[in-house]
Amino acid sequence: MKNWKKVAAVCMSIAVLTGVSACSPAAKQESDEVVLDVWHQFTDPESEQTKTFLAAVDNYESEHENIKIELHGLDTESYKTKISTEFASSASGIDVFYYWSPGKLKQLVNADKVLPLNDYVTDEVMSRVKEGSTSAFEFGDDLYALPIDSYMMCLFCNKTLFEEAGAEIPSTYDELIAAGEKLQTLDGVTPLVIGAKDSWLAGALYEAVALREVGAGEVQAALLGETAFTNEGFKRAAEKVIELNQKGIFGKNPLEDGEPEATADFLNGKAAMQLDGSWFAGTIDNTEESVVTDVEVITFPVVSEGQSRTDYAGGASASFFVNKNTDTPAEAADFAIYIAEQMGSKALEIGSGFPCWNVDVDESALSPTFVSLYNLYNSVETGIQNWDGILDANATAVHLEQAQSLLVEGASAESFMKAHQEAISTQE
Amino acid sequence: MKRLLSNKLYIAIFVAPALILFIAMGVVPLFITGYYGLFDYDGIGKKTFIGLQNYIDLFAADAYFLKSILNSFILAAGSLFVQLPIALLLAILLANGVKGEGFYRTVFFLPVVISSMVIGQLWCKIFNSDGLLNAILGFFGCTDDIAWLVNSKTAYMTTVIPAVWQSIGYHMVILYAGVKNISPEYYEAAKLDGATGFKAAMKITIPLLMPTIKVSATFALVGSLRVFDLVYVMTGGGPNHASEVPATLMYDNLFVKCRYGYGSAQAFFIVFECLLFSFLLNCIFKKSEENASAI
């Protein structure tokens, strides 16, 4: 019994001391420190985007002594899974998170998981954002994030290989086939690498053709369910992808390789064209081992002569959002706005995309491929995001697996259409 | 001690920690999963109760689920009728004192230690159209560079082969321990009766090994029914769902398509299927086990 009393006395003493120390000035100062848990997908240490992101985080911490940023980074595919799982529970360990809008974000907004930033975005901040670039982040009257940059899907062409094969850079679908046939005669060269093992790239390929077949307005309307997914152009686009594959334009087995392998092929001079986002320009210019020296960037060829080329696949789609359950909404919102502006302002410099912020562009500082890309970007008008940024999760999965299915033996445009019609019509 | 163990309170106290952990980590999540399967739920928003609709849809409306079950049965057959016999043969050979027994045991067990991700990548290199298999076939005059991994007729088999290969060592070690456990007296007695080598293996080793074989068979069967990692790494269930197994479909529904209710129904089915087949296997092995214990 005596021992019990001793133990109780020691416990009481510890409790009292802890209580007293919690009220001391030192502890008060400590409790003023705000820790922001920031979830992101910038994990490639070689990437300029990662370097820019980390530098911006360091700057923010040094400018705000009471704020500490805890970073939680995963590569893109793992990140998507992990963050969905987090939000399926309380997501209590997330204050700020990188995400894709409007498609994927809509689900979180509907579940009331995202903090609108209306109260935190001042007129002064908005004056620095390019007009019209926030639409992907608005639902109703609420603005959920400020954009970072815009991207654009393009065809990157290795002009040296085109010259060797005596082929012209294609501007129409027929020219693409003609160039592909000539390029196939070069030993070990794939005319156009897709990296379709990564399903979003298979999707991007189909989307590029569909955009030319039906136009940005019709694509947008069909994906949002405003019109049925019955336009014959969608079917023709599927048939064209099948045709290109059967003609060997994408190599023997386009589904065997993902984006890294496709990129390696292009940079090693084993592929004459690569379909990828604008960020690929930075990769081309910053990879020292690359044997590719002369690159022309074009938008995807049109399907008929004289067709307008002003529609493009791309836009502002991803940014940093604030978890509605955060304990520190003001600090989290301030950081989300800061990091979007910092990364957006550097987008041109690092070749990741086109800034959605008003920045002065010094073309002499840009990489050569990016200058060509920037000129192309200035010539297009109506952008539509990759479909996985617009469709809901289920329809996205169906779309991407169906886009891959166009590249297998026995592919069928009819079953492609049927699967899309079912998936898109059941979207909420 | 005997008095202590006859007191039910003490028994309860000793059993409680493990039992509580088992219930909390195993039984409760299982029933929660089954419960989620009764809802139309995207994992984030509101849940709508739809009764058994998800469970009915598994068989009535899902174009791929039945095919995925069939695929898992093919792997189960490969595991039971190819993997286990090879493992048993190796176990008996090694336990009979082959020179370099320890070395061979380590070599056969090595694939078990290696991560499935690495094994998957390794076999992808073998099955790629410019991989080792086509190079060997090319040497023998077959110059069609078959894309084994992305051909819907061959994709699933490319995952079955490494899956069967990888676990041979695992079952070999279990069976090897079982063979080593058999008293040498049985073999001495059999030798006097003229049974050695193959005959001794058939009449002494295998009958006495039945309880161990049952354990191995259960692991092999259940492992096949819930296989995920190798299929996910090598083919991702493609092309066009040709190599789906129930667990890859479940993963897709839970984490990619955000069909949390439906994915939960699939998860619950996989557990139920594993329990059912474990029970059936127990029934099948009951007689042989009784014979073994009678000896």
Side-chain angles (χ1 to χ4, degrees):
Chain A
M1 187 58 96
K2 225 173 182 180
N3 283 343
W4 280 110
K5 280 184 182 169
K6 275 183 187 170
V7 171
V10 170
C11 289
M12 286 295 284
S13 311
I14 291 170
V16 170
L17 283 171
T18 313
V20 170
S21 64
C23 299
S24 69
K28 175 94 175 50
Q29 197 180 11
E30 201 168 63
S31 70
D32 276 349
E33 186 179 80
V34 173
V35 177
L36 292 179
D37 286 292
V38 177
W39 286 57
H40 66 95
Q41 54 131 32
F42 303 103
T43 52
D44 176 5
E46 300 300 316
S47 151
E48 291 298 322
Q49 266 184 307
T50 304
K51 290 173 192 167
T52 309
F53 170 71
L54 295 176
V57 169
D58 283 346
N59 278 345
Y60 190 82
E61 279 186 323
S62 57
E63 286 170 18
H64 302 78
E65 284 182 0
N66 66 325
I67 294 180
K68 175 153 177 40
I69 310 289
E70 290 279 356
L71 295 177
H72 307 265
L74 286 167
D75 69 273
T76 309
E77 291 308 316
S78 314
Y79 179 74
K80 285 176 182 170
T81 306
K82 177 74 176 155
I83 204 150
S84 299
T85 316
E86 285 292 322
F87 275 105
S89 57
S90 65
S92 56
I94 301 177
D95 293 305
V96 179
F97 61 102
Y98 185 82
Y99 216 58
W100 296 266
S101 189
K104 286 179 84 65
L105 189 79
K106 195 176 174 190
Q107 188 189 19
L108 293 185
V109 169
N110 288 346
D112 202 22
K113 301 272 186 182
V114 193
L115 183 77
L117 301 187
N118 302 24
D119 296 340
Y120 305 98
V121 178
T122 61
D123 290 343
E124 193 271 323
V125 171
M126 278 306 280
S127 69
R128 300 200 298 271
V129 180
K130 274 193 178 163
E131 211 179 317
S133 60
T134 56
S135 57
F137 308 99
E138 290 167 11
F139 291 90
D141 294 331
D142 289 325
L143 173 67
Y144 288 89
L146 291 180
I148 298 176
D149 55 13
S150 291
Y151 73 98
M152 181 176 169
M153 296 301 293
C154 320
L155 270 186
F156 295 84
C157 306
N158 181 341
K159 283 172 80 177
T160 316
L161 290 178
F162 272 83
E163 280 161 21
E164 269 180 46
E168 296 287 326
I169 302 284
S171 59
T172 64
Y173 177 76
D174 292 336
E175 286 174 16
L176 177 65
I177 290 179
E181 282 168 351
K182 284 184 179 169
L183 287 160
Q184 279 182 76
T185 59
L186 297 179
D187 189 29
V189 170
T190 304
L192 169 55
V193 280
I194 302 297
K197 188 179 179 184
D198 290 329
S199 59
W200 77 268
L201 279 165
L205 170 68
Y206 170 76
E207 291 156 21
V209 187
L211 185 67
R212 292 305 186 215
E213 281 286 354
V214 298
E218 175 61 26
V219 170
Q220 175 109 350
L223 299 187
L224 295 177
E226 292 162 10
T227 57
F229 194 86
T230 48
N231 189 309
E232 275 299 304
F234 289 122
K235 193 176 169 194
R236 282 199 302 275
E239 286 164 350
K240 283 194 164 69
V241 172
I242 295 171
E243 185 188 17
L244 289 170
N245 187 41
Q246 285 171 347
K247 287 185 181 293
I249 308 293
F250 310 132
K252 270 189 182 170
N253 302 297
L255 286 174
E256 272 192 339
D257 295 331
E259 190 181 22
E261 293 88 356
T263 300
D265 278 353
F266 186 83
L267 297 179
N268 288 323
K270 290 183 178 171
M273 289 177 274
Q274 179 166 354
L275 177 70
D276 213 329
S278 38
W279 54 85
F280 187 54
T283 309
I284 294 172
D285 292 329
N286 296 326
T287 306
E288 286 175 12
E289 300 82 16
S290 171
V291 300
V292 181
T293 50
D294 196 1
V295 174
E296 183 168 337
V297 193
I298 58 171
T299 51
F300 201 84
V302 291
V303 289
S304 58
E305 289 283 357
Q307 188 184 11
S308 163
R309 294 166 197 279
T310 53
D311 288 352
Y312 73 100
S317 69
S319 192
F320 286 88
F321 298 85
V322 177
N323 182 359
K324 197 161 191 182
N325 289 334
T326 179
D327 295 330
T328 50
E331 289 83 355
D334 185 61
F335 176 76
I337 294 165
Y338 175 87
I339 198 82
E341 180 171 9
Q342 289 301 307
M343 292 189 72
S345 305
K346 295 266 166 50
L348 271 181
E349 203 178 299
I350 62 174
S352 64
F354 314 103
C356 294
W357 297 76
N358 296 317
V359 287
D360 295 328
V361 180
D362 175 11
E363 283 200 16
S364 64
L366 300 181
S367 71
T369 311
F370 210 83
V371 171
S372 154
L373 186 63
Y374 191 56
N375 293 334
L376 189 68
Y377 182 67
N378 287 331
S379 73
V380 293
E381 288 168 11
T382 315
I384 181 153
Q385 283 190 36
N386 284 84
W387 294 14
D388 53 353
I390 301 170
L391 296 170
D392 76 7
N394 181 48
T396 292
V398 171
H399 164 60
L400 296 182
E401 69 196 25
Q402 285 298 317
Q404 281 183 318
S405 78
L406 295 176
L407 302 173
V408 299
E409 212 179 302
S412 151
E414 282 78 19
S415 62
F416 174 91
M417 289 297 290
K418 190 166 169 262
H420 274 76
Q421 283 156 4
E422 272 174 23
I424 291 172
S425 64
T426 53
Q427 283 191 114
E428 281 179 17
Chain B
M1 190 62 170
K2 202 175 171 188
R3 234 185 83 209
L4 193 72
L5 288 177
S6 64
N7 186 326
K8 284 181 180 154
L9 177 66
Y10 284 118
I11 294 173
I13 289 171
F14 287 132
V15 169
L19 188 67
I20 290 167
L21 271 178
F22 173 69
I23 291 172
M25 304 291 182
V27 180
V28 173
L30 174 64
F31 282 101
I32 290 175
T33 305
Y35 169 74
Y36 278 141
L38 301 172
F39 291 87
D40 179 14
Y41 180 40
D42 66 5
I44 293 173
K46 280 182 186 164
K47 295 195 284 277
T48 312
F49 183 76
I50 53 167
L52 292 173
Q53 194 56 48
N54 281 333
Y55 293 93
I56 295 167
D57 284 351
L58 287 179
F59 301 98
D62 194 320
Y64 309 114
F65 195 64
L66 282 175
K67 163 87 177 154
S68 75
I69 294 174
L70 184 67
N71 277 345
S72 68
F73 285 166
I74 292 171
L75 178 59
S79 299
L80 290 176
F81 303 118
V82 179
Q83 185 182 67
L84 281 191
I86 295 174
L88 182 62
L89 180 71
L90 291 173
I92 293 173
L93 286 175
L94 287 185
N96 282 333
V98 176
K99 198 177 171 189
E101 184 182 328
F103 170 75
Y104 286 118
R105 204 174 53 219
T106 310
V107 168
F108 291 135
F109 193 69
L110 205 58
V112 185
V113 185
I114 302 171
S115 149
S116 292
M117 296 291 157
V118 178
I119 300 268
Q121 290 298 334
L122 183 86
W123 281 85
C124 276
K125 300 278 179 240
I126 293 174
F127 286 121
N128 258 339
S129 55
D130 55 355
L132 185 66
L133 181 60
N134 279 342
I136 293 169
L137 290 175
F139 181 76
F140 290 106
C142 176
T143 50
D144 292 344
D145 282 348
I146 303 166
W148 304 95
L149 287 162
V150 293
N151 183 321
S152 51
K153 287 176 192 141
T154 57
Y156 185 59
M157 286 317 289
T158 64
T159 66
V160 169
I161 293 166
V164 168
W165 167 80
Q166 187 187 11
S167 297
I168 286 176
Y170 176 70
H171 295 293
M172 185 207 71
V173 167
I174 295 176
L175 296 168
Y176 172 84
V179 178
K180 282 283 188 190
N181 230 6
I182 297 171
S183 168
E185 288 162 12
Y186 292 116
Y187 294 105
E188 283 160 18
K191 203 173 176 182
L192 289 176
D193 291 338
T196 54
F198 179 72
K199 204 167 185 183
M202 295 304 288
K203 300 284 183 188
I204 307 287
T205 313
I206 292 177
L208 284 173
L209 206 55
M210 274 304 167
T212 319
I213 292 175
K214 188 191 90 176
V215 171
S216 260
T218 309
F219 285 164
L221 182 67
V222 170
S224 304
L225 296 177
R226 60 183 176 82
V227 64
F228 173 75
D229 42 12
L230 269 176
V231 180
Y232 185 72
V233 173
M234 293 182 69
T235 65
N240 207 10
H241 299 283
S243 61
E244 295 283 9
V245 288
T248 52
L249 280 178
M250 176 198 78
Y251 177 86
D252 238 27
N253 280 307
L254 283 174
F255 300 115
V256 180
K257 296 182 175 173
C258 292
R259 297 175 72 195
Y260 207 84
Y262 189 65
S264 298
Q266 285 178 323
F268 192 73
F269 173 83
I270 293 169
V271 177
F272 175 76
E273 185 194 21
C274 289
L275 289 174
L276 177 72
F277 278 92
S278 301
F279 174 74
L280 288 177
L281 214 58
N282 259 316
C283 294
I284 292 167
F285 274 91
K286 202 169 183 186
K287 184 96 174 83
S288 335
E289 271 195 299
E290 280 169 6
N291 289 343
S293 54
I295 298 170

